Amino acid sequence: MRYPETASQTGGPYVHIGLAPQQAGFDIFKNNFGANLCAPATLGERIAIEGQVIDGSGAVLRDVLLEIWQANAAGKYAHPGDLQAKPLDDAFRGWGRGGADFDTGLYRFDTIKPGPVVGRKGQMQAPHINVWVVARGINMGLNTRLYFSDEVAANAADPVLNSIEWVQRRATLIAQRGERDGLAVYRFDIRLQGEGETVFFDI
Amino acid sequence: MGPLPRPTDEFIQRDTGLHAPALTPDYKTSVLRSPRLALISIEQTLSEITAPAFQPEELGPLDHDLILNFAKDGLPIGERIIVHGIVRDELGRPVPNALVEIWQANAGGRYRHRNDKYLAPIDPNFGGCGRLLTDANGYYVFRTIKPGPYPWRNRINDWRPSHIHFSLMGDGWAQRLITQMYFEGDPLIADCPIVRTIPSEEQVRGLIAVQDRAAFVPLDSRAYRFDITLRGRRATLFENHVQGATA
């Protein structure tokens, strides 16, 4: 017996009500899920990730919502399916969500730089963060990956990046490292359509 | 149902034919927000087969009760309903401890959102969002007010059917899903350009909750049944295990 997967539908323009109610404009839950993945005890290099999501006309989406899922600083996911012999970090779940700013369209996550995770057949993957994008006009959440501009050698050997046949498209997944007030800030813009279109994955 | 899934198993390929394509021009906003290039399918790694876990104590005791979780000086106005069902995977196995998040308009079709300017009023006692974790059997239940239809600027006279938005976080990132639930018998379903992005009638039917008279609470609430199917992990029968360094 096989049941068909429930059909996806757009998150719509008011996705924040359910997933980020404070941004929608009201306070309802005692404990809110947000875009800061770090507690004081979290291990690893603090980084920020910032960017905008851009449509096919070059306009910035101001109603988009993103989620990220990543390994800890040692390169281990907080999930029983990860059998790598690496330490868990009790102060790091590895997941966060955040809406773009309604005025500027800028999104931001405060997190740590993940360690490398093993891939298939023992090949190492470059450090990366899994990104999921939902919004009005997007019928099914878009999956992509964020890699880091200062991991040149690891990126060159990454099996997923290397599985992208169009070499020039791989660059759309590399976040550019900058610095602000002593904090590493990676810029990761996502282009939904047209020139420089970001690579999206069917995972 | 076959062998029980292990957290190290990968997920069955998504049947993209069961879902809306990205570009669905009758739903106008999709035109500029849909990739023009094909998705790139990848073999799954730890990144795709794992997902965050949530603990019951992270949620509040009324988080799944939309009738009470924003009530200030009285009850919200509208039809009192219970929505319940199971979250299972493609092979019929329950998905326990899944994070289910819901959001919706109030009885008049107005959302509590700073960008919603529809003239129907806000209900001071209704927030419109809730969340819960499925139990060991994949079962969930919440209580709410039946949302009203509302107009939207697609074609100038388009109206959404009554619906509740659902977000699901299962046990693997590859299962992440957002969808919408509709109500049996609503004549607006057939006309809706968002519903019609879905390629088959059968898949549309899968989004329509059925009135569940057996679960009515006499003199209190009606009930709707809505089951959800997420992707399933496939059994690893003959190949060496592909995840991790043990391959």
Side-chain angles (χ1 to χ4, degrees):
Chain A
M1 184 67 191
R2 180 102 178 264
Y3 297 89
E5 185 186 10
T6 297
S8 176
Q9 291 258 268
T10 178
Y14 308 130
V15 64
H16 316 88
I17 294 175
L19 303 188
Q22 288 174 320
Q23 189 179 357
F26 66 114
D27 205 14
I28 183 162
F29 299 135
K30 211 171 262 175
N31 171 39
N32 288 282
F33 301 132
N36 180 6
L37 285 69
C38 293
T42 304
L43 302 172
E45 181 195 1
R46 266 40 178 189
I47 63 170
I49 295 162
E50 277 183 0
Q52 292 170 314
V53 181
I54 299 152
D55 77 9
S57 74
V60 171
L61 274 63
R62 294 176 302 159
D63 54 9
V64 67
L65 184 122
L66 297 91
E67 290 186 2
I68 62 174
W69 169 238
Q70 65 169 97
N72 67 22
K76 189 174 174 81
Y77 285 102
H79 183 277
D82 186 339
L83 302 178
Q84 298 177 96
K86 296 173 176 176
L88 281 170
D89 181 347
D90 289 339
F92 191 67
R93 173 165 30 211
W95 172 81
R97 70 159 56 123
D101 184 273
F102 289 146
D103 297 319
T104 65
L106 204 64
Y107 75 84
R108 176 186 170 113
F109 290 95
D110 287 282
T111 184
I112 51 106
K113 195 171 173 192
V117 174
V118 73
R120 297 175 74 93
K121 301 185 177 118
Q123 278 184 296
M124 286 310 289
Q125 305 187 71
H128 65 275
I129 292 177
N130 307 288
V131 181
W132 190 67
V133 183
V134 291
R136 175 172 68 106
I138 296 177
N139 289 326
M140 183 155 63
L142 293 166
N143 283 292
T144 187
R145 284 182 170 208
L146 177 159
Y147 290 84
F148 300 90
S149 62
D150 52 336
E151 295 285 347
V152 176
N155 291 342
D158 182 80
V160 171
L161 284 174
N162 284 320
S163 75
I164 301 168
E165 172 188 349
W166 303 272
V167 175
Q168 72 281 7
R169 297 199 67 201
R170 298 175 190 169
T172 65
L173 303 184
I174 313 292
Q176 296 302 314
R177 184 178 176 117
E179 206 184 290
R180 195 186 309 140
D181 306 326
L183 179 73
V185 179
Y186 289 89
R187 176 84 189 192
F188 187 60
D189 289 334
I190 295 173
R191 290 180 172 77
L192 295 178
Q193 181 191 105
E195 197 176 331
E197 184 174 306
T198 298
V199 169
F200 297 106
F201 294 111
D202 163 32
I203 58 173
Chain B
M1 288 198 288
L4 286 175
R6 295 172 301 183
T8 49
D9 289 335
E10 60 190 303
F11 287 91
I12 300 165
Q13 168 178 299
R14 173 170 266 153
D15 183 349
T16 48
L18 297 173
H19 297 277
L23 175 60
T24 47
D26 287 346
Y27 172 29
K28 297 181 182 182
T29 312
S30 76
V31 173
L32 282 172
R33 294 183 171 197
S34 46
R36 283 295 172 271
L37 301 174
L39 299 182
I40 294 181
S41 298
I42 59 171
E43 292 184 291
Q44 290 162 15
T45 70
L46 286 175
S47 302
E48 288 76 34
I49 66 159
T50 57
F54 298 87
Q55 308 303 323
E57 52 272 21
E58 294 183 78
L59 310 183
L62 290 179
D63 282 7
H64 70 306
D65 188 346
L66 284 70
I67 291 182
L68 295 182
N69 70 10
F70 201 75
K72 304 296 182 200
D73 55 5
L75 293 171
I77 289 171
E79 298 178 44
R80 296 164 62 87
I81 60 169
I82 290 162
V83 179
H84 71 145
I86 53 164
V87 181
R88 66 187 168 212
D89 74 12
E90 289 168 275
L91 303 177
R93 301 173 295 211
V95 182
N97 207 49
L99 178 66
V100 180
E101 296 166 287
I102 51 175
W103 67 100
Q104 61 165 93
N106 68 21
R110 175 70 185 272
Y111 283 95
R112 185 176 287 276
H113 189 289
R114 56 179 52 144
N115 295 339
D116 188 0
K117 309 290 189 228
Y118 181 36
L119 49 72
I122 288 284
D123 183 334
N125 293 308
F126 190 72
C129 63
R131 56 191 188 177
L132 54 91
L133 296 172
T134 56
D135 73 11
N137 300 312
Y139 181 76
Y140 75 90
V141 57
F142 63 89
R143 185 164 78 148
T144 189
I145 295 294
K146 190 177 177 193
Y150 66 87
W152 59 303
R153 273 188 177 259
N154 189 57
R155 294 170 301 186
I156 201 62
N157 200 11
D158 275 330
W159 287 72
R160 295 303 321 282
S162 293
H163 64 278
I164 298 177
H165 296 265
F166 275 69
S167 162
L168 291 121
M169 177 88 77
D171 185 44
W173 195 240
Q175 293 177 310
R176 193 78 182 84
L177 184 74
I178 280 184
T179 189
Q180 300 180 29
M181 183 204 95
Y182 304 97
F183 293 86
E184 182 180 16
D186 186 341
L188 289 168
I189 293 172
D191 286 337
C192 175
I194 289 179
V195 173
R196 284 170 19 185
T197 62
I198 296 171
S200 74
E201 280 305 312
E202 190 183 345
Q203 282 294 86
V204 170
R205 271 202 303 280
L207 298 187
I208 300 174
V210 179
Q211 181 169 268
D212 184 4
R213 191 172 282 275
F216 285 15
V217 179
L219 308 178
D220 183 322
S221 301
R222 290 186 303 127
Y224 284 87
R225 172 84 185 197
F226 181 56
D227 293 338
I228 296 163
T229 304
L230 301 180
R231 292 171 69 184
R233 294 184 190 270
R234 67 187 193 85
T236 310
L237 298 176
F238 281 94
E239 74 234 74
N240 282 334
H241 200 269
V242 292
Q243 306 298 339
T246 54

